[in-house]
Amino acid sequence: MAKKALLIGVSKYDRAHDRALSPLPAATNDVEAMYRVLIAPDLGGFDQVKVLADPDCQSMKDEIETLFTGCSQDDLVLLFFSGHGLKDEKNQLYFATRITRKNAKGGLSRSTAVPAQFIHEIMAYSRARQQAIILDCCFSGAFDPALQAKDDGSFDLQGQLGAEGRVVLASSNATQYSCEHKRAGLSIYTRHLIEGIETGAGDLNQDGQVSILELHEYATKKVQEDISDVTPKLVIVKDKGWEDEGWEIILSKTRAKGDQSPDTKKQEIDLGEVLLESRSEEDTAYNAIPSLLLPLKPLIERLIEQLKNYCFSHSRSGDVSSAVTTGDTLELIRLASNADWVFLMSQSEGQNSWQLKAQSRLSREIDSGDYTEMLKAEVLASIASESVFMAGHHGTYRIVYDETTEAAKAFILIPLDSSDDPEFIGVCGLSKDSHYLNDACTKIITSFYSAAQCFHAYPHWQPSRVEASILDDLKRDHGFLPLSFYNRRFELFCDRLSQIVIYFEPILDLRKVAITGWEALARDPLSLRAPVDLFEAAELWGSRFIVQLDMQLLKLAATSYRQAGLNARRNRRVNEIIPLSVNVYPESLMRPAYFKAVREITTPDRDGYTLLPSDSLVLEISEKADLPAYQDGVRLKFPLEAFKAKLIQYVRELRIQFGIDDFGVGYASVSRLAGLRPPHVKIDREILHQQQAEIIIRFVREIVTKSSELHLAKIVVEGLDEQSPITLHQLHKLGVAYAQGYIIGKAEPKIYRLTSEKRKFLIRSIQVDPMED
C-alpha cells in the first residue's frame, strides 16, 4: 500500500486584474506545514507528497488527475486544499486558482477556477479505495472582526463531493465561515490539524495512530474553543458493508512518549560493527534523495529533440556544410521552452549601449509592435546591466503584465560566459510561476547555446554531444544530479566511446635506433584528435565512467594492435610483437572488472589463442589522477601501499609490466615514484620546457635506477618535435634510452619499421649536436 498526497495552497491572485480575489497569506503556509507532518517517517510516513503553490487552473486540474489516476486499490490518497472556496449562481462549488476572478457582473468567472464536479468525477474513476479530502475553505456566514474571512458562499458539500469510500473534512459547515487569524502564520483549522498530528493529541483512543475521524473530532473541539460559532464539517457516505462504528482512514502515527518532551535520561544505541550490503552500481533498489533538478529534465529532452529535428531537416535539404547560425540556436531555445521570443544582446568595448545581435522568430500570437514597446519600456530599460552580470547568480528576471494576453509573464536575462564582448540571452514570455525561473534552467540554456555553436551541420553534427555538454555543466555546478541524469550521461558516454578508434605512436630506442614499442592512443575518427571530452567526462563523473573507459580502450587497443600486426606481417614490414603501452587510471587498476579484462586479453583460451601476450603489454598509470582512497567501500589508511599491493598481484598472476605516464604533471610526486618503483617512467613533454629540464631528467633517472634494482629501468621522454628545447642528442648524453614524439613518427592506425631515410635522419640527430653542426 502506498500513501500519496497532493497539497494545494492558493495565497496569491493576479492583482493585475481589477476583479481579482483578496490574497490569503496563510494558504501556502498551511500546505508547507501539512507537508512537514505527512512526509515525516515517524508521523504521516507518506510515500509521496507533492506541494502545489499558487497554480493556474490547468496545472491544478492536471495534478489532481495525476494523483488519483496513478493509484492502485490499496493506496491511501489525500487531497488537501487551502484557499478560496467559491460558488456560482446555481450554488455549484469551485476552488480558486491564482488566476480566478469575478466576471463583469460580479459573479464567478468559471473558466478560471476548478469545479468540485471535476474533482468528484476524477476521484470516482480512481482505483484507490481510501480517499480523503481536507478543505480549509470558507463558505458563508458572519465572522469575528479580529479574524480575516476567506470568502462567502453556501453549497451542499455532501451532494457535490461525497461518495462511498470517501471522507471529506471541511473547516466549516454550509452556513459558517472558516477563518484565519490575521496574526497567525497558519489558518486556525489547519493549525489544529497539525497540532493533533505532531503532539499526538489527535490520537483520542491512545492506540498509537491518528485516524482522520479522530483528527476531525480533535480539530473541531479546538476550533470551537477559539471561535464558538464555527463547526468544521465531516462528510462520510457509508455503504452497506461498513460497520456501525464507521470506516476510518489512518492518517498518521504518533511519536513515542520520549519524543514528546525532553528525556533527562540519556539513551544510546550500540550497533556494534555493521557491514553495509554490497551492491552493484547498476542496482537502484534504494530511495534516492529527490532532486530539484528533475523537473528540468523535459526541457533538456525538448532542446535535444528540436536540435535533432533541425539536423534532420538540413540533411534532407542537402545543406551539410554551413555552421548552425546563432539565430537558429535561439529559435530552438524558444521552441523548447515555449517562450514568446528569444534574443541575444551584445555590447562593444568602450560603449554603454547594447545592440541586438541575433533573435529567434516571434510567436505567432504576438504583435511585434506592442511587444517591442513593452520589452523596451518595462524590461530592458528597468534593469541595470550590473544586475545581469552580478557574481553570485546566473541571470535575472522581471515579471510584467501583458495586457494583450491578460497574463503576467516572466522575462529572463541570462549572461553568457565569454572572453570577448559582454553578451546576454533574453528569454521572453514565460509563465510567471514557471519552474524555469532558477539558475539550473539558465545554465541549461547557456550550455545548450554554447555547445550548439561548436558543432556543424550534418554529417559532423552530434546532438548527443550537446546533451552531454549540458549534463556535464550541471554536474560541475550542482555536484549531485538525479539518478536519471547520471544514467543518461553514462549512455551518452558509452555511445561516444564506441565511436573511438586506436592509433599507434612509435617509441624509439636511441641505442638501436629502432622502434621497440608502441603507445596506443585513442582518437576521434572524424577529427583524428584525442577525444578530450571523454577523459574530462570520466574524471568528472567518477569511477563507473573511468573503469568503463579504461576497459573499453584496453580491449580496443589489444584488438586493433593484433590486426595491425597481421596487416604488417602480410606486408612483410614487421615480424615480431613488440610491447604495446596502454594508459590506465589508478582507479581502474583497483577494480576486479578491470583485472578480469586484462586476464581475458593476456590468457590463452582453450585453442591457445591469445589476443595480446602478457609480456607484450605495458600498463601506463596516469599521473593526472590521484590514487584511490577507497577499496570495496572501505577507506584506505595507506592508499599507496594498497595500490602497490594491487600492482604486485597483476605482476605475479598476469605477468604484466607497469609504467608511470605523464610524470611531471597532475598528481606526480617523488614519493609516489619511489614508492611504486615502476620499471617504466614516461616524462611528460611539459618538463622539456622547464629551465631545469636536464636536472629533472637526471633526477628521475637516478631515482628509478636505484629503486628498480631487480629490473632494468626504462625512461621514456615524450613529446619531442622539431621545436623541442631538448634534442635527441642531449637526451642520449643524459643517459635516456627511449623517446617518442613527432620527430620520430606521428600516431597512425598501422605499425611499421623505420624507413632507411628516417633511420639515417635519427642517427644523425642522436650523434650530432645541432649547435656544433
Side-chain angles (χ1 to χ4, degrees), residues 643-682:
F643 187 68
K644 183 178 178 181
K646 194 67 177 181
L647 299 189
I648 293 174
Q649 182 187 2
Y650 276 89
V651 174
R652 288 177 177 175
E653 297 185 23
L654 304 181
R655 316 301 297 176
I656 299 299
Q657 300 180 70
F658 283 99
I660 287 182
D661 188 30
D662 305 318
F663 183 81
V665 299
Y667 289 88
S669 66
V670 174
S671 61
R672 179 161 160 178
L673 177 63
L676 294 178
R677 296 187 297 172
H680 304 275
V681 176
K682 186 170 291 183

Side-chain angles (χ1 to χ4, degrees), residues 402-700:
D402 185 353
E403 295 183 353
T404 304
T405 59
E406 295 186 349
K409 294 184 176 181
F411 294 77
I412 310 176
L413 305 181
I414 311 169
L416 291 175
D417 296 327
S418 175
S419 58
D420 301 323
D421 297 334
E423 295 180 333
F424 68 84
I425 291 176
V427 181
C428 307
L430 299 176
S431 167
K432 73 180 184 68
D433 294 313
S434 172
H435 52 262
Y436 293 164
L437 298 180
N438 60 71
D439 60 349
C441 174
T442 59
K443 188 63 178 180
I444 290 171
I445 290 174
T446 56
S447 295
F448 176 81
Y449 174 83
S450 299
Q453 298 300 293
C454 295
F455 298 100
H456 290 79
Y458 182 87
H460 301 302
W461 185 280
Q462 295 180 340
S464 60
R465 293 188 63 182
V466 176
E467 184 178 0
S469 180
I470 294 172
L471 295 175
D472 288 349
D473 284 342
L474 289 176
K475 175 68 173 173
R476 294 186 188 96
D477 276 16
H478 296 272
F480 293 98
L481 298 185
L483 185 61
S484 60
F485 284 41
Y486 176 87
N487 290 334
R488 176 56 181 162
R489 185 61 183 94
F490 188 70
E491 290 177 9
L492 296 170
F493 182 81
C494 292
D495 180 64
R496 170 78 169 133
L497 188 56
S498 67
Q499 303 169 12
I500 300 305
V501 297
I502 296 294
Y503 274 41
F504 304 100
E505 185 173 77
I507 300 174
L508 180 73
D509 187 330
L510 275 66
R511 299 162 301 181
K512 300 177 181 179
V513 194
I515 297 174
T516 57
W518 298 90
E519 180 179 4
L521 301 176
R523 289 290 181 262
D524 183 296
L526 297 178
S527 67
L528 300 183
R529 296 183 178 181
V532 178
D533 59 297
L534 276 175
F535 298 106
E536 290 179 344
E539 293 167 11
L540 175 66
W541 290 86
S543 298
R544 186 184 181 193
F545 288 71
I546 289 174
V547 176
Q548 182 69 22
L549 173 72
D550 281 337
M551 288 176 56
Q552 180 78 9
L553 292 184
L554 173 66
K555 294 175 182 178
L556 181 61
T559 304
S560 302
Y561 192 54
R562 180 176 180 81
Q563 185 60 49
L566 292 174
N567 294 338
R569 283 193 285 275
R570 280 197 293 267
N571 296 329
R572 296 182 180 180
R573 293 179 180 177
V574 177
N575 294 321
E576 71 283 359
I577 300 177
I578 56 179
L580 175 68
S581 298
V582 180
N583 295 332
V584 61
Y585 284 96
E587 176 73 29
S588 297
L589 289 170
M590 299 292 284
R591 295 303 183 100
Y594 189 80
F595 186 91
K596 181 180 178 182
V598 175
R599 183 169 55 194
E600 290 176 351
I601 288 172
T602 58
T603 302
D605 60 17
R606 294 179 179 178
D607 299 325
Y609 173 80
T610 303
L611 189 58
L612 184 65
S614 59
D615 59 358
S616 297
L617 175 61
V618 178
L619 295 178
E620 294 188 356
I621 306 165
S622 174
E623 289 286 277
K624 294 180 180 179
D626 199 0
L627 297 180
Y630 291 85
Q631 184 175 15
D632 299 328
V634 178
R635 176 178 282 278
L636 298 170
K637 189 174 183 179
F638 302 105
L640 181 60
E641 292 302 318
F643 187 68
K644 183 178 178 181
K646 194 67 177 181
L647 299 189
I648 293 174
Q649 182 187 2
Y650 276 89
V651 174
R652 288 177 177 175
E653 297 185 23
L654 304 181
R655 316 301 297 176
I656 299 299
Q657 300 180 70
F658 283 99
I660 287 182
D661 188 30
D662 305 318
F663 183 81
V665 299
Y667 289 88
S669 66
V670 174
S671 61
R672 179 161 160 178
L673 177 63
L676 294 178
R677 296 187 297 172
H680 304 275
V681 176
K682 186 170 291 183
I683 297 177
D684 192 79
R685 69 187 66 199
E686 295 296 326
I687 296 296
L688 303 180
H689 297 274
Q690 302 293 328
Q691 290 184 351
Q692 299 82 13
E694 292 190 11
I695 298 174
I696 296 173
I697 293 172
R698 286 196 188 97
F699 179 65
V700 173

Side-chain angles (χ1 to χ4, degrees), residues 252-273:
S252 172
K253 299 179 291 185
T254 58
R255 289 193 174 114
K257 294 297 183 181
D259 295 332
Q260 301 296 324
S261 60
D263 192 349
T264 57
K265 182 179 179 181
K266 183 178 180 180
Q267 298 185 23
E268 295 181 347
I269 297 176
D270 183 10
L271 293 178
E273 292 188 4

Side-chain angles (χ1 to χ4, degrees), residues 274-291:
V274 177
L275 293 178
L276 297 182
E277 184 180 355
S278 177
R279 297 180 181 273
S280 66
E281 295 191 9
E282 291 77 14
D283 189 1
T284 58
Y286 58 86
N287 295 320
I289 299 297
S291 171

